[in-house]
Amino acid sequence: MLAPDTRRVLLEALKPPEGFRIDRAIATTYTLDLMAMLTAPLAFSLFDGIGGKADASSSAEASEHLNPFALLKAVRAHAERTTVFCQSTRISAPPRYQRLLAYLEDSVVEVNAPSEGGVFHPKLWALRLVGSDGEVKYRVLCLSRNLTFDPSWDTALVLDGDLADRQRAFSANRPLADFFRALPSLAVRPPPQRVLDDVARIASELERVRFELPLPFEELRFHPLGLPGYTRHPLETAPRTLIVSPFVTAPALEELAEGGILVSRMDELAKLPPESLAPFEVHVLHDGAEMLEFGDTGEAPARGGEDSPPPSGLHAKLFVQDEGWNAHVWTGSANATSAAFHQNVEFLVQLTGKKSQVGIDALLDGRQGEPGLRALLASWTPPDKPAEEDSSAKALEERLRVARSQLGRVTWIAEVTEGPDGFATRLRSEGPVVIPADLTVSVWPISLPRDTFARPLESHAGHAGVDFAARSFEALTAFFAFSLITTVGDQRAEAVFVVTAVLQNAPANRAARILQSMLDDPAKVLRFLRMLLASDPLDILEGLAGLEMTGADPAGLGTGAGAGAEVPLLEAMIRTLDRDPARLDAIHQVVQDLLSNEEGRRLLPDGFLAAWEPLWAARKSLTGEVAA
């Protein structure tokens, strides 16, 4: 079980072993936060820099990894080698736009489940790792966690393995390879050739990876669900089962177990008939565990049943069954619902070990002095009255579900036209779209504010489209937000999501121009210098957000408007001088690069060198070494 502050745990799980770099990454998720996705290539770039620093023969060589242009180029390079497959129309609209999101446009592949009514729900990562000598390793993460910032309780399994020098596949790995091999066939639109090549390579190599078994387990099995050839779920009905699932349905409980221990959410348990819960010892997370949330998602609790995961609280999925002296643990994306086991695309990993170490009682009560899951639980008391279903709310929910499903199965084309006033965009559906009369649909590029730039989606000859007037180069994006609003009686409901369009006729040098625009004035350069002192990818995201703005304090030393919004650069440099003076070498390298030409000198505002030069002299004096 992961603590709610899981972003740190996940990023640590993505960090490659010493001496290795991340060559390719493929991830799957149900819901996707684009800013959360951006942390992956950011983290990969930092890992490169940290590894380079450890291996570098000089601090000058190490600081090259943290040169601003080098870092941004590394982010772009890693983004182009990272692919995320997610359920169509389940990309959330970011609260603010970040220009680096343009690097993700060809790395997001929207997919749908083959089964009618099912969703694409797995949370799986495959990292291809390459050593300095060319050795290849793999890391597979099987999660219950989506690629979002939701502060929820989740599970994570990390599997490492070496690519074996053999031609024949390990038969146990074939289901894992088949899962990745099938992903492009689920896509709404054909993925780019780069994605097809990466998937083919990773799927082929995964068949020949010798995975290390995590102790104390003795056997490992992979179980994709909902794909051709993998439609039967791996669990048998057992007399006693431990089920941890945020979403539950009565038929699934009956199918999975005759009884046992059930851990779920209060709101979900209240929906179930009492007779379905009678065979189980029922628990929820206790109040203290539910309140352990590090940050606010800024969103109301998600609605819409299993399709809309909760932003906080229990989100882990775990099934444990004892069998003789052994016990089996299944972990991954599947909830204890009929949809999970019979309609959705899911992924579970089965681990087998001794019952005394990994069985139901061992997990609940702990072993060898370690606390067990029971320490987080409280007994559930049924409400006096059964939960009443709001028929109007359910009708609204179903109407939005059907509409977004229809819109999510269409390929969207964004045609760009360059003119004297900038770049105009025409968004259109490639296939026919029917907009129900009881639905209001508006669209806007995520790079522009909704209040000003949202436009109604119009229907012409069975196709849907909307025109956006000419805007700046920086506003070009393949990501478009859709708002669906419908009413039943006096109740109103809205769904907001992002789709990825095929961007046509965009400037050929767009990626390079985005990089240049990130550092085109003194205020942005100084914010970048402040960002170089951060070590957490989320802190770096905040710094990158600053590159989208200009301020009244171009030196960034904390004297101008907005200085309180982040730690001023001067204060950050003084603190770094005291705690980790070698990190100032990266800023020195940037300063030297900027001073080497007239354009660079223009980007260093008056007042910065007067503050910097004494700090740099102190850095050399305090460490007693010749700094880069």
Side-chain angles (χ1 to χ4, degrees):
M1 293 282 286
L2 302 181
D5 193 16
T6 53
R7 64 177 174 84
R8 299 184 186 276
V9 179
L10 177 58
L11 291 178
E12 183 62 26
L14 294 175
K15 185 176 180 179
E18 185 175 350
F20 283 78
R21 61 178 176 82
I22 296 173
D23 175 63
R24 295 287 189 277
I26 296 178
T28 65
T29 182
Y30 173 62
T31 53
L32 173 63
D33 183 314
L34 292 172
M35 296 301 286
M37 180 180 172
L38 189 57
T39 62
L42 268 172
F44 299 162
S45 302
L46 283 179
F47 297 155
D48 287 349
I50 292 169
K53 184 174 181 179
D55 300 335
S57 58
S58 69
S59 57
E61 182 181 347
S63 63
E64 268 300 306
H65 291 280
L66 295 177
N67 171 286
F69 290 99
L71 178 58
L72 290 178
K73 287 178 180 178
V75 172
R76 173 186 170 188
H78 277 295
E80 292 173 349
R81 296 197 298 269
T82 300
T83 304
V84 174
F85 292 84
C86 70
Q87 171 65 40
S88 67
T89 76
R90 292 292 171 173
I91 305 173
S92 60
R96 63 185 177 195
Y97 184 67
Q98 164 61 252
R99 263 175 274 186
L100 287 183
L101 291 177
Y103 294 159
L104 305 182
E105 291 172 355
D106 288 333
S107 298
V108 177
V109 181
E110 294 179 82
V111 296
N112 289 299
S115 173
E116 183 69 26
V119 298
F120 181 82
H121 200 249
K123 301 96 167 61
L124 201 67
W125 287 74
L127 305 179
R128 186 178 193 270
L129 311 172
V130 178
S132 55
D133 59 354
E135 180 186 0
V136 176
K137 291 180 177 288
Y138 269 88
R139 175 168 294 170
V140 171
L141 308 181
C142 183
L143 313 173
S144 67
R145 182 168 202 74
N146 291 298
L147 191 45
T148 69
F149 292 125
D150 295 344
S152 51
W153 288 86
D154 278 284
T155 54
L157 172 65
V158 181
L159 298 171
D160 287 321
D162 298 322
L163 180 62
D165 184 14
R166 56 184 283 170
Q167 295 298 318
R168 296 185 62 184
F170 294 110
S171 59
N173 292 7
R174 192 173 298 279
L176 176 66
D178 286 347
F179 171 81
F180 282 100
R181 193 174 284 118
L183 293 176
S185 67
L186 307 179
V188 173
R189 59 183 175 90
Q193 187 62 44
R194 188 273 304 173
V195 171
L196 297 176
D197 293 342
D198 287 352
V199 168
R201 182 174 195 172
I202 286 176
S204 174
E205 290 184 342
L206 281 173
E207 291 184 321
R208 295 179 286 117
V209 173
R210 183 177 286 108
F211 286 103
E212 302 172 16
L213 272 170
L215 296 176
F217 293 102
E218 302 170 351
E219 185 181 347
L220 168 72
R221 296 183 67 183
F222 299 107
H223 297 287
L225 304 177
L227 296 174
Y230 296 97
T231 55
R232 186 178 184 277
H233 72 77
L235 279 75
E236 301 290 344
T237 304
R240 183 171 181 252
T241 301
L242 168 62
I243 299 174
V244 180
S245 176
F247 297 100
V248 290
T249 61
L253 289 179
E254 183 178 356
E255 182 179 6
L256 293 170
E258 298 173 11
I261 299 92
L262 172 63
V263 181
S264 190
R265 296 172 60 90
M266 288 187 181
D267 53 343
E268 287 297 304
L269 293 170
K271 299 176 184 177
L272 297 177
E275 58 271 20
S276 67
L277 296 177
F280 292 90
E281 177 187 330
V282 185
H283 295 275
V284 295
L285 289 183
H286 66 60
D287 292 343
E290 286 277 14
M291 293 173 64
L292 286 175
E293 297 175 11
F294 294 80
D296 182 5
T297 62
E299 300 178 358
R303 305 186 67 87
E306 183 182 5
D307 287 356
S308 300
S312 62
L314 181 70
H315 193 245
K317 290 93 170 162
L318 198 68
F319 305 89
V320 185
Q321 292 180 347
D322 296 339
E323 184 182 39
W325 294 102
N326 294 326
H328 306 284
V329 178
W330 291 267
T331 184
S333 65
N335 288 289
T337 65
S338 299
F341 287 109
H342 298 289
Q343 292 177 290
N344 297 350
V345 175
E346 308 274 3
F347 199 93
L348 291 172
V349 174
Q350 178 183 351
L351 298 161
T352 301
K354 291 293 182 288
K355 181 172 67 175
S356 60
Q357 295 181 302
V358 299
I360 295 174
D361 294 331
L363 182 59
L364 285 173
D365 300 325
R367 58 184 181 84
Q368 300 176 352
E370 297 178 354
L373 178 60
R374 199 180 294 277
L376 297 173
L377 304 180
S379 295
W380 179 71
T381 303
D384 294 334
K385 296 181 178 180
E388 294 184 5
E389 187 174 69
D390 187 331
S391 58
S392 295
K394 187 173 181 179
L396 289 169
E397 176 188 313
E398 178 63 15
R399 191 178 295 174
L400 290 176
R401 187 195 68 80
V402 171
R404 72 191 296 164
S405 176
Q406 292 174 343
L407 293 173
R409 295 182 181 275
V410 175
T411 297
W412 295 91
I413 308 294
E415 297 174 321
V416 177
T417 304
E418 184 176 3
D421 298 325
F423 297 87
T425 305
R426 164 73 172 168
L427 182 70
R428 61 176 176 84
S429 64
E430 189 173 59
V433 173
V434 177
I435 304 174
D438 55 10
L439 202 68
T440 300
V441 183
S442 57
V443 188
W444 64 98
I446 68 168
S447 56
L448 297 171
R450 171 182 180 174
D451 292 346
T452 307
F453 295 97
R455 300 286 183 270
L457 186 67
E458 300 176 347
S459 181
H460 299 284
H463 292 253
V466 58
D467 291 311
F468 297 97
R471 299 298 170 195
S472 66
F473 166 82
E474 289 78 11
L476 283 177
T477 180
F479 296 120
F480 290 83
F482 281 64
S483 165
L484 279 56
I485 298 176
T486 187
T487 59
V488 171
D490 59 353
Q491 292 195 41
R492 174 182 181 274
E494 179 181 29
V496 178
F497 55 86
V498 172
V499 301
T500 308
V502 180
L503 198 61
Q504 295 183 345
N505 304 324
N509 62 344
R510 181 166 168 247
R513 285 177 62 178
I514 289 171
L515 179 60
Q516 295 167 3
S517 71
M518 298 291 287
L519 300 169
D520 60 2
D521 68 42
K524 293 178 181 179
V525 170
L526 271 298
R527 286 191 179 98
F528 193 96
L529 294 178
R530 169 66 187 90
M531 188 190 76
L532 288 181
L533 300 179
S535 57
D536 188 308
L538 286 187
D539 293 335
I540 294 179
L541 274 180
E542 289 297 313
L544 288 172
L547 302 184
E548 306 288 339
M549 305 175 291
T550 56
D553 178 23
L557 302 178
T559 59
E566 57 180 315
V567 179
L569 177 59
L570 178 58
E571 179 183 333
M573 291 192 300
I574 293 174
R575 185 172 59 193
T576 303
L577 176 66
D578 176 58
R579 300 178 181 178
D580 190 6
R583 295 194 66 193
L584 292 177
D585 292 0
I587 290 184
H588 172 69
Q589 181 66 39
V590 174
V591 172
Q592 293 301 109
D593 288 346
L594 293 174
L595 290 175
S596 66
N597 59 77
E598 184 61 36
E599 179 63 20
R601 285 193 291 271
R602 183 186 67 80
L603 295 177
L604 277 176
D606 295 338
F608 172 76
L609 289 178
W612 166 249
E613 288 173 348
L615 279 169
W616 182 241
R619 180 263 185 272
K620 292 187 289 185
S621 175
L622 287 174
T623 57
E625 64 181 77
V626 177

